[in-house]
Amino acid sequence: EVQLVQSGAGVKEPGESLKISCKGSGYSFISYWIGWVRQMPGKGLEWMGMIHPIDSDARYSPSFQGQVTMSADNSISTVYLHWSSLKASDSAMYYCARLDVGVSTGTIDYVDLWGQGTLVTVSS
Amino acid sequence: QSALTQPRSVSGSPGQSVTISCTGTSSDVGASDYVSWYKQVPGRAPQLLIHDVTRRPSGVPDRFAGSKSGNTASLAISGLQTDDEGDYYCCSSAGSFALVFGGGTKLTVL
């Protein structure tokens, strides 16, 4: 089965670090960019950025540049989203998403596969 | 990059049709052949309904139809069913390596 499976929910205090994961299976993991999408409680979807597992080339939305770090380990078909110092405002559901991307243009066509989401709660 | 503009809510009765609009700019929707639509039900990940403005993935019924004119894309849903209820999001490419989503529209089937 083609799927993206994300790590479980995390509860952290402000200032702590956190790394969540997204593992692909059932397809050639190194052939697709993986994006990250945030959904704050009761709110809409926000584009965070994307990473290519083959070389860890990461591209960030300006809104998230410097706030998170994306990384990849293609030996285990997994990408990660990392916070070095969480804030309460980072509390949200985070989705990883497989992207259909134009090879030469970098233009993203659509998300054809979503992970199940990871709920991050930051509270003292 | 500002979110695309969608109505907060739409509603219809079973069997009726509704249309959800998605307004962007000449830098995203107006410039892009890559507009997609997703449905999300509470507690679940979004699911792809439409891509490339008008194309339906296999398994999506032809009651769902996408279109675009200028800076505005639209999703039309005909023959409304109760399980069409949920949140609908439009999405557009916004230059290289960037996407922008709409704010979401809650569909209620009365």
Side-chain angles (χ1 to χ4, degrees), chain A residues 102-115:
Chain A
V103 172
S104 58
T105 64
T107 301
I108 306 168
D109 191 347
Y110 59 97
V111 176
D112 69 350
L113 181 66
W114 295 80

Side-chain angles (χ1 to χ4, degrees), chain B residues 6-17:
Chain B
Q6 298 181 233
R8 294 189 71 104
S9 64
V10 296
S11 62
S13 300
Q16 289 187 332
S17 299

